[in-house]
Amino acid sequence: MKISQLYTYPIKSLRAVPLNSAQLTPHGFPYDRRFMLFKVSQDDTSAPLHTRLTKMTVTYFPEMGLFLQTIDHEQASADVNGHNSTSGSDNGTVTVTYSPPNGQEKEIVIHLRPPTESLEEVYVILHNSPTKAFDMGSNINKWFSTCFGFETMLVYLGPHLRPVLGNLAPRNAEKDVRVQPPPGAGPTNSKSWLGSIASYLPSLRSVGVTNGDGLTFADCAPYLVITEESVQQVSSRLPEGMEMDITKFRANIVLTGTSGAYEEDFWGAISIKGEGNTSKEILLTQNCMRCQSLNIDYKTGRYGIGDEGQILKKLMKDRRVDEGKKWSPVFGRYGFLGNEEGAIEVGDEVMISKKNSERTKFCKWDDTIGVTGPDFDATE
């Protein structure tokens, strides 16, 4: 078994950036999902008036599939923490290209590690895991707002991270735990959270983490692992000549050479033989539940028609195999770095270092923070 593809996503929910090699860090590949877009509106139901930041993910804003990303690899070398090194690489950039189906392409270039001294700090929540971030400013926000047709804000995570909730973290992976809200998050009303995907600014005072276990704007874990054999099985459900777009699964690491589809359901860890013939371990703690993002047509930025818009429904028939999230189909495994950091590349040999006797069970968060809502079933 070997690595066949690697991907990173500098701005969450925009299109994937393919890689030939990548650095494994505790918080994911360098630059992976360190930026995120929010829709900006004024909430006149509260006093005083608040700026309402609604998280933008491709599930709810399918037009995000029209935005391509490319990284300037020559300038964007990174240190082990996913930040640019200090040896002249601070000019590393991501170029975002907006490619509407019936319009003119346009692009913007954004520094992968922008200086934050002059940026306004904001508080955001993703899947009830809060953190601080930095508003990237009016020029960049105006560009995205023009593309989307409504006011948006691009935020940069900087040194901040989000708490890992539930039984995703390796230390909790074998526990059927119900996790309380993270410190500083404060009480929330479960009904309001189930019906909303909004974060409020300002509403939190002390949130996020800066070291140890922590997430970028990745949904649940630093890594998502899938296999080509499972993708091929999805393609077999489609009409002849039609293949599933592997990038819609939004994985970081794609493997090939398994004995069959969905074998990864039972993997507890994989070992990657990387540079210097050293092995790097990824602990696979939980299943990835899927959502409507699989049904999006990237050519139109809308939900697909015909079979292309029925991928999730096809998986619902027999892939609802996680007892903890029984209404959502499973595809792929969430992972965390299990040992020392290091580089991996396409073609590296991979072995299963731990196999579970049964499928893992995704735990529910405490009901008071409402993470049982449908917006949680996604990798975006």
Side-chain angles (χ1 to χ4, degrees), residues 30-165:
Y31 314 120
D32 189 40
R33 297 175 174 98
R34 292 182 177 271
F35 294 86
M36 185 173 175
L37 284 158
F38 287 82
K39 182 177 180 180
V40 180
S41 58
Q42 298 299 318
D43 181 13
D44 57 6
T45 63
S46 60
L49 192 68
H50 284 72
T51 296
R52 189 173 192 240
L53 299 181
T54 301
K55 70 178 185 183
M56 292 181 63
T57 64
V58 71
T59 302
Y60 299 100
F61 297 86
E63 61 268 38
M64 297 180 83
L66 300 175
F67 292 79
L68 289 77
Q69 307 181 84
T70 56
I71 291 176
D72 185 332
H73 290 283
E74 291 186 1
Q75 298 187 66
S77 59
D79 65 23
V80 296
N81 294 314
H83 294 158
N84 293 352
S85 69
T86 57
S87 56
S89 60
D90 282 350
N91 291 324
T93 59
V94 56
T95 299
V96 180
T97 302
Y98 175 54
S99 183
N102 298 307
Q104 186 175 1
E105 286 190 354
K106 57 181 180 178
E107 62 183 40
I108 188 171
V109 178
I110 300 170
H111 289 287
L112 285 164
R113 191 189 179 193
T116 59
E117 292 81 4
S118 62
L119 299 181
E120 181 182 356
E121 193 172 68
V122 297
Y123 296 88
V124 295
I125 301 175
L126 175 62
H127 301 320
N128 293 286
S129 175
T131 190
K132 299 176 183 178
F134 298 96
D135 177 357
M136 285 295 290
S138 59
N139 290 339
I140 291 175
N141 292 342
K142 183 178 179 180
W143 188 88
F144 281 105
S145 298
T146 301
C147 294
F148 284 106
F150 51 80
E151 187 178 356
T152 63
M153 178 189 294
L154 181 69
V155 304
Y156 169 57
L157 197 58
H160 307 298
L161 295 168
R162 297 165 43 236
V164 182
L165 302 183

Side-chain angles (χ1 to χ4, degrees), residues 316-361:
M316 293 282 280
K317 294 179 180 179
D318 59 358
R319 290 298 300 159
R320 293 182 292 174
V321 294
D322 191 310
E323 292 183 0
K325 297 285 287 185
K326 61 182 180 180
W327 302 114
S328 302
V330 167
F331 195 100
R333 296 282 287 162
Y334 284 124
F336 292 77
L337 183 62
N339 55 9
E340 295 182 359
E341 304 167 6
I344 60 173
E345 61 183 33
V346 171
D348 280 351
E349 181 182 348
V350 180
M351 299 185 65
I352 305 167
S353 54
K354 179 183 177 183
K355 196 167 185 179
N356 300 323
S357 59
E358 58 184 19
R359 291 184 177 93
T360 52
K361 180 180 178 181

